[in-house]
Amino acid sequence: MTTNTVVTINKLVPSGAPTLENFKVAAAPVPTKDALKDGEILVRTLYLSCDPYMRGRLSGRTDSYVASFEAGKPIDGLGVGVVEASSHADYKEGDIVTGGAFKWETRFIASAKGFTKIPSTNGMSPASFLGVLGMPSFTAYVGTITLCKPKQGETILVSAASGAVGQMVVQLAKARGLRVIGAAGSDDKVQYVKDLGADVAFNYKTVKSLGSAIRDAAPNGIDIYFDNVGGEFLDVALKNMRPNGRIAECGMISQYNATAEEAYHIQNLAYVVMKKLTIYGFIVSEYYTTPAYGEFIKEVSQMLKENKIKYRMDEVVGIENGPQALLDLFEGKNFGKRVVKVSDPAHRL
């Protein structure tokens, strides 16, 4: 192979919906081990992760918890790959690595400091470390368990319940004896949420009234709301919370592409005071060095071993299709955790 496929940003998008014109897919020279400096590794990308937080990185904002992409430079984010060459003592050819510094390239060279070696996949796809054993599932754990501290018999409402994070929230909550209500955006997604164990699931796009749907599902109110979407759903949920309820504020994907004129303005914030609600805003990366991460790995690994977890991946093949795969995420066209398969672990491109 004489070329390397690279995805870069043509133009940042401060507001409104990005399009394929904002991306560029091009060929570049293949990096070789001769170019390695001390402490670097040459990685062949296996899978790239498409995540909602990446919309903020397309905006050019300078006040976020993560830096924006730079026009003319490759996208980067979470991924899994195989080491093809190394100048670092702790990494060798054939090691499977994961981390948040994966460039959207078929192959790339980077400092080994930004990567973690996966000792064994135990027969699982490497993509699992972007899903069920990766950031989305840990996000579900932190928001649901670490922060909201659920109690048996409580009621939890989960938006985007079939998504990368939501599907784990449903299962972690059911494992603790909660009554689970899930919302999703299509009938097949609703069925999947029911198959995960949700007590009630509904299609928020087709119900006559979002408020009525939530009240019918939880006539006594909501103890915990795990929010993935923001906007109107958050507003209605606030009105239906029980006293001393907790909200895990994970994301607001319904608002990420909204212009100033289109943005939804929350009207029910007064309920935070009247119902003594607690809203937890959190960034999951800050919890990897806390006991919560070890607890998450232990619990979810055991659940996987006992076949007590289902986790749906949504795989798009080909790095050249990466931009569209990412854009689809903001329109709800994914079903489960969206990843881009770049190459196969056993296949050298």
Side-chain angles (χ1 to χ4, degrees):
M1 187 178 77
T2 57
T3 59
N4 191 39
T5 303
V6 181
V7 180
T8 59
I9 296 296
N10 265 337
K11 184 180 179 182
L12 295 170
V13 191
S15 66
T19 69
L20 287 177
E21 294 181 356
N22 296 109
F23 300 85
K24 180 180 180 181
V25 179
V30 178
T32 65
K33 63 180 181 179
D34 296 334
L36 287 173
K37 298 177 182 177
D38 288 343
E40 291 185 330
I41 52 177
L42 170 59
V43 179
R44 173 165 56 86
T45 305
L46 300 176
Y47 292 92
L48 294 168
S49 180
C50 295
D51 296 295
Y53 83 92
M54 298 173 81
R55 176 61 187 89
R57 300 192 68 191
L58 285 164
S59 69
R61 293 185 62 159
T62 58
D63 60 350
S64 181
Y65 66 94
V66 62
S68 288
F69 297 129
E70 295 184 47
K73 293 188 177 182
I75 294 177
D76 64 89
L78 294 163
V80 175
V82 59
V83 175
E84 293 200 325
S86 172
S87 63
H88 193 287
D90 295 338
Y91 295 84
K92 66 180 185 301
E93 182 179 349
D95 284 344
I96 304 295
V97 294
T98 187
F102 268 75
K103 298 177 183 178
W104 279 38
E105 302 185 34
T106 310
R107 286 181 173 87
F108 62 90
I109 289 174
S111 170
K113 292 181 179 179
F115 300 86
T116 300
K117 185 162 53 176
I118 299 173
S120 172
T121 61
N122 293 317
M124 299 176 65
S125 165
S128 297
F129 292 88
L130 299 178
V132 69
L133 288 173
M135 181 273 287
S137 288
F138 187 40
T139 300
Y141 187 93
V142 169
T144 307
I145 310 305
T146 307
L147 297 178
C148 288
K149 296 178 173 57
K151 303 177 183 68
Q152 185 174 359
E154 289 189 318
T155 296
I156 184 172
L157 171 65
V158 188
S159 57
S162 68
V165 175
Q167 61 182 309
M168 280 300 293
V169 176
V170 170
Q171 294 174 90
L172 289 170
K174 284 302 296 181
R176 283 164 171 76
L178 274 71
R179 184 168 185 272
V180 178
I181 302 166
S186 67
D187 291 344
D188 56 343
K189 291 180 180 179
V190 167
Q191 184 58 54
Y192 176 65
V193 174
K194 291 179 179 178
D195 292 343
L196 294 176
D199 297 278
V200 180
F202 63 86
N203 184 339
Y204 73 91
K205 291 183 178 180
T206 58
V207 293
K208 293 182 179 179
S209 163
L210 186 55
S212 295
I214 293 175
R215 286 191 297 274
D216 290 345
N220 296 321
I222 303 296
D223 296 290
I224 300 172
Y225 172 44
F226 197 104
D227 185 24
N228 288 301
V229 300
E232 181 186 7
F233 206 116
L234 170 60
D235 209 17
V236 176
L238 284 167
K239 194 172 183 178
N240 286 275
M241 298 296 294
R242 286 172 53 81
N244 300 304
R246 293 89 75 199
I247 297 175
E249 196 51 66
C250 174
M252 298 188 175
I253 197 168
S254 72
Q255 302 300 294
Y256 291 165
N257 286 338
T259 63
E261 294 76 20
E262 296 167 340
Y264 185 92
H265 299 285
I266 301 294
Q267 302 172 42
N268 290 320
L269 275 179
Y271 285 100
V272 175
V273 178
M274 291 188 289
K275 296 190 177 187
K276 299 164 289 182
L277 306 179
T278 301
I279 301 177
Y280 295 99
F282 67 103
I283 305 300
V284 72
S285 58
E286 297 178 356
Y287 289 84
Y288 279 94
T289 56
T290 71
Y293 185 61
E295 294 163 3
F296 157 73
I297 291 295
K298 181 180 179 180
E299 177 174 343
V300 174
S301 295
Q302 185 62 33
M303 292 175 76
L304 283 169
K305 185 178 180 180
E306 297 173 0
N307 294 316
K308 292 182 177 179
I309 282 184
K310 298 177 182 179
Y311 195 85
R312 181 167 180 142
M313 302 292 288
D314 185 346
E315 184 178 296
V316 174
V317 178
I319 190 172
E320 69 280 4
N321 296 316
Q324 188 63 61
L326 178 59
L327 294 178
D328 286 348
L329 196 69
F330 306 120
E331 296 183 12
K333 294 181 178 179
N334 61 300
F335 190 165
K337 168 60 188 162
R338 172 62 61 91
V339 295
V340 177
K341 183 176 182 179
V342 180
S343 64
D344 187 89
H347 176 61
R348 298 177 67 89
L349 293 178

